[in-house]
Amino acid sequence: MDTTIVKEHKISPTLTLLALAVSAFAIGSTEFISVGVMPLIIKTFHVSLATAGLTVSVYAASVMIGAPVFTSLTSRIPRKALLLSIMITFIIGNLITAIALIFPILLAGRVVAAFAHGLFMSVATVIAASVVYPMKRVSAIATMFTGLTVATVTGVPLGTFIGQRASWRISFVVIAVIGLIGLISNAILVPKELPMPAKIQRGSLMRMIKAPVVLLSLIVTADGYGASFPVYSYMTTIIADQGWSDSASVIILIAYGLAVAVGNTVGGRVANAKPLKVLMMMFAAMIPMMLLILVGLQAQIFGLILILIMGLLAFMNVPGLQLFTMQAAEKYTPNDVQMASAFNIAAFNLGIMIGSYVGGIVADGAGLYLTPIAGSVMAAIALGLTWLLSRLHTA
């Protein structure tokens, strides 16, 4: 796929990236909001912690499935029209969640929103890369992903605050409204004339499976990104168990989000030249951090500090993981870059699904404070696989 600029656009690329970031903010808010309102969902539907955790893992599984499937089915639809349809679907999904009277309907709403999420991230990543010059692609992608990190800074804490003060249902209504703002922003600020991706050919999945570097990069994305989610998925519950008040928990979530935003920004800047080397350093740092959290989480102040440091590392790997997968696809499966982007979005959410699910099992079976064990194991595996990936890529 040619991601270079094919003609001059009247709309500034900066404004286009801003519109995409607004939509990504809405999507990031809905992806992680269930982390913040999970105690309220448990109270409303009288379900266990592990069952409530399905609001995270089922959402992630739906993104994982929806990203490649719907990317393939919609590959011939003009990019802007597709983008607007995605946002409409996203709004509907959140409204279904907001009015759900039984837990399965809530999950159904999450699935609808997640299908929109998966396709959005695949399409928006390519749009972001297509409106800037090649040497600025990783920064453009990082800018678009900033919407996700800002959602972690403000969207999730805001949704949690609204849920605590009014209702978790109102939190999802607010997210739908933000999605509407994203829809309007995209309608105004995203150019109509965008390069269409190369026609998706049959057998793209098999070609990526047969390309060891591409396949392994997807596995690294899933495992490495998911390493923080055994802890993060249940962070609000952990914070409450540590004795923090509802107001304090909102402030803590904001602080965590700020740490995530800083980490994502740093990751976008340092991963341009040698993404694999930088990723190995990030995963290596995550292992001792998780072990420290394991021994220090029950201490209120020290545990809080460790959680914030985890936030610094949690999303730092996102730009590098996304960039390297696209680079690998361009080199080894050049006809499948669009699908590689979709599968990498799926891989991110596979990591969330695995991390949150394993974390739920550990929390219910062994205890909430032992969830960092799963995170450290996932980080160690990611480090080893990234080292192997670097060897294959340079061979």
Side-chain angles (χ1 to χ4, degrees):
M1 182 192 69
D2 182 7
T3 56
T4 58
I5 298 175
V6 295
K7 63 180 289 185
E8 289 294 325
H9 298 303
K10 294 181 180 179
I11 300 174
S12 165
T14 301
L15 293 178
T16 300
L17 294 175
L18 177 62
L20 295 175
V22 169
S23 298
F25 172 80
I27 285 172
S29 296
T30 203
E31 180 173 20
F32 298 126
I33 184 57
S34 58
V35 172
V37 299
M38 193 173 294
L40 303 175
I41 290 175
I42 291 172
K43 184 176 180 180
T44 298
F45 296 104
H46 306 290
V47 295
S48 69
L49 180 61
T51 300
L54 292 175
T55 58
V56 178
S57 57
V58 167
Y59 186 97
S62 301
V63 176
M64 178 186 69
I65 295 169
V69 170
F70 288 110
T71 295
S72 178
L73 292 176
T74 59
S75 63
R76 294 293 88 197
I77 299 176
R79 301 294 89 181
K80 182 170 183 176
L82 178 57
L83 187 62
L84 298 181
S85 299
I86 289 168
M87 293 310 299
I88 291 172
T89 303
F90 171 80
I91 294 167
I92 292 171
N94 280 282
L95 291 177
I96 291 173
T97 302
I99 64 174
L101 297 179
I102 57 176
F103 191 72
I105 297 299
L106 183 147
L107 289 182
R110 296 288 285 165
V111 169
V112 172
F115 282 159
H117 176 147
L119 187 54
F120 171 84
M121 298 310 297
S122 174
V123 172
T125 296
V126 177
I127 291 176
S130 72
V131 297
V132 298
Y133 292 102
M135 70 287 296
K136 295 183 177 180
R137 287 189 303 169
V138 70
S139 297
I141 292 171
T143 298
M144 189 271 293
F145 269 99
T146 297
L148 294 176
T149 57
V150 172
T152 309
V153 176
T154 59
V156 174
L158 178 61
T160 303
F161 178 81
I162 293 171
Q164 292 170 351
R165 295 297 183 272
S167 166
W168 61 266
R169 299 181 188 278
I170 301 300
S171 297
F172 284 99
V173 171
V174 171
I175 290 172
V177 172
I178 297 172
L180 178 61
I181 296 172
L183 172 66
I184 296 171
S185 299
N186 290 330
I188 297 172
L189 299 176
V190 174
K192 290 183 179 180
E193 299 298 326
L194 290 167
M196 291 292 290
K199 185 177 180 180
I200 295 176
Q201 303 174 7
R202 279 187 167 185
S204 59
L205 177 58
M206 288 306 301
R207 285 191 294 274
M208 283 186 277
I209 290 175
K210 292 178 180 179
V213 172
V214 178
L215 177 60
L216 191 54
S217 70
L218 295 173
I219 295 172
V220 169
T221 293
D223 184 68
Y225 180 68
S228 66
F229 281 87
V231 179
Y232 177 64
S233 297
Y234 306 96
M235 191 164 71
T236 303
T237 305
I238 291 172
I239 291 170
D241 193 68
Q242 288 179 330
W244 297 102
S245 66
D246 287 348
S247 298
S249 68
V250 172
I251 296 173
I252 291 170
L253 288 173
I254 293 173
Y256 181 89
L258 288 170
V260 166
V262 171
N264 179 260
T265 302
V266 172
R269 291 182 178 179
V270 301
N272 275 302
K274 297 180 179 180
L276 291 181
K277 181 179 179 181
V278 172
L279 286 171
M280 282 191 284
M281 295 172 63
M282 292 176 184
F283 296 141
M286 181 68 78
I287 298 170
M289 176 50 52
M290 281 293 174
L291 295 177
L292 279 174
I293 291 175
L294 178 63
V295 299
L297 199 57
Q298 296 185 58
Q300 191 179 48
I301 302 299
F302 185 54
L304 174 61
I305 293 171
L306 292 174
I307 286 175
L308 296 180
I309 297 175
M310 184 187 77
L312 189 67
L313 296 174
F315 281 25
M316 189 179 287
N317 54 36
V318 170
L321 290 169
Q322 185 72 3
L323 172 65
F324 182 77
T325 298
M326 293 181 70
Q327 289 177 337
E330 288 170 352
K331 181 176 180 179
Y332 298 103
T333 57
N335 293 325
D336 304 307
V337 175
Q338 173 84 351
M339 284 303 293
S341 175
F343 276 110
N344 205 47
I345 297 302
F348 279 119
N349 286 274
L350 175 61
I352 296 173
M353 182 185 70
I354 293 172
S356 61
Y357 180 72
V358 172
I361 292 176
V362 173
D364 275 356
L368 193 60
Y369 294 102
L370 294 180
T371 52
I373 294 176
S376 63
V377 171
M378 292 179 70
I381 293 172
L383 176 60
L385 292 178
T386 306
W387 175 83
L388 177 59
L389 184 58
S390 67
R391 302 282 290 184
L392 290 174
H393 187 53
T394 56

